[in-house]
Amino acid sequence: MATCAIVGASPEFNAEDFRARHEAGMFEFVIAVDAGFAYLEELGVKPDMAVGDFDSLGYIPKCRRVSRFPVKKDKSDMELALEKAVAWDYDDLVVYAALGGRLDHTIANLQLFAKFSEREFYVTAVGADSALRALTGPDVMDLPLMESGTVSVFSANDCARGVIETGMLYSLDDEDLSNRTSRGVSNELVGKPARIAVEEGTLYVFYPLP
């Protein structure tokens, strides 16, 4: 699996997590999305590509590859960056600074994560103290082994079928979840191996970072 890190412009940038993974050599390619370039510049990291209209950044960055788009367009800078990543044959997409900040931007990004997950790409968004995985069935996700922590699971579709949650305080056994319910919020890790599975549809799995 080839991994690409994508750094957006949300104020919720987990610099510590990015630095740790980058220094461990976990990212084969790094894309800065508009003002995300400034986050990387502060860390002393040179991205492999910068994408966007750069209205938030305020200048055209100096980068090995710069893909500039007009301000007036039909796709967000994040969507364009995700498209660039998959065009370069990266199938494991780790997205930073895409959650928090403006709620409309967060919702737009969630929709994109479901879209690319349904195209069989592995999409994870890293927040300040938690992460989000878009999980499209049939698939299984093993959660980090932790003594405690909150896990929430929501359907991105009208109905996600065959949802299973094991190893947590509350369990689901082959149930359906819709995107018109709060069911799935605030499950708890209890120090046991925990797993989430879905047979059909896409889930948003929110889980704590180890």
Side-chain angles (χ1 to χ4, degrees):
M1 190 172 284
T3 303
C4 176
I6 300 172
V7 180
S10 161
E12 192 174 292
F13 174 51
N14 193 328
E16 182 179 354
D17 186 277
F18 177 89
R19 183 189 293 110
R21 298 198 203 195
H22 184 263
E23 290 178 353
M26 297 177 66
F27 303 136
E28 296 162 79
F29 201 78
V30 177
I31 298 177
V33 185
D34 202 316
F37 184 87
Y39 288 143
L40 295 176
E41 196 169 42
E42 289 178 7
L43 292 177
V45 174
K46 294 183 178 180
D48 299 286
M49 175 181 285
V51 175
D53 52 36
F54 305 114
D55 61 342
S56 299
L57 184 62
Y59 60 90
I60 308 303
K62 293 182 179 180
C63 187
R64 182 179 178 185
R65 302 178 182 88
V66 176
S67 187
R68 187 184 182 188
F69 293 87
V71 173
K72 295 181 178 180
K73 54 188 181 300
D74 295 329
K75 297 180 179 180
S76 69
D77 290 340
M78 179 60 70
E79 184 167 6
L80 295 167
L82 288 164
E83 289 179 348
K84 288 290 185 182
V86 302
W88 282 76
D89 294 327
Y90 293 97
D91 50 10
D92 180 17
L93 312 177
V94 182
V95 187
Y96 289 85
L99 307 173
R102 282 178 52 177
L103 180 58
D104 55 344
H105 284 179
T106 298
I107 292 174
N109 290 335
L110 289 173
Q111 294 185 158
L112 292 174
F113 301 154
K115 170 186 174 180
F116 282 86
S117 177
E118 288 163 2
R119 289 173 54 186
E120 300 185 351
F121 296 99
Y122 190 106
V123 185
T124 304
V126 178
D129 55 10
S130 62
L132 158 71
R133 164 83 191 280
L135 185 70
T136 298
D139 203 355
V140 176
M141 176 184 177
D142 291 314
L143 294 167
L145 183 60
M146 301 175 67
E147 290 300 318
S148 62
T150 301
V151 176
S152 293
V153 178
F154 303 110
S155 175
N157 313 107
D158 290 341
C159 185
R161 303 188 185 280
V163 180
I164 296 172
E165 297 185 24
T166 61
M168 291 177 278
L169 184 60
Y170 308 105
S171 61
L172 290 179
D173 185 12
D174 198 24
E175 296 188 30
D176 294 346
L177 284 182
S178 80
N179 57 4
R180 292 295 184 269
T181 180
S182 60
R183 182 167 172 77
V185 71
S186 296
N187 208 337
E188 294 292 333
L189 296 171
V190 292
K192 298 179 181 179
R195 172 173 287 186
I196 295 170
V198 59
E199 181 63 29
E200 181 182 335
T202 299
L203 300 176
Y204 295 126
V205 181
F206 294 84
Y207 61 97
L209 292 169

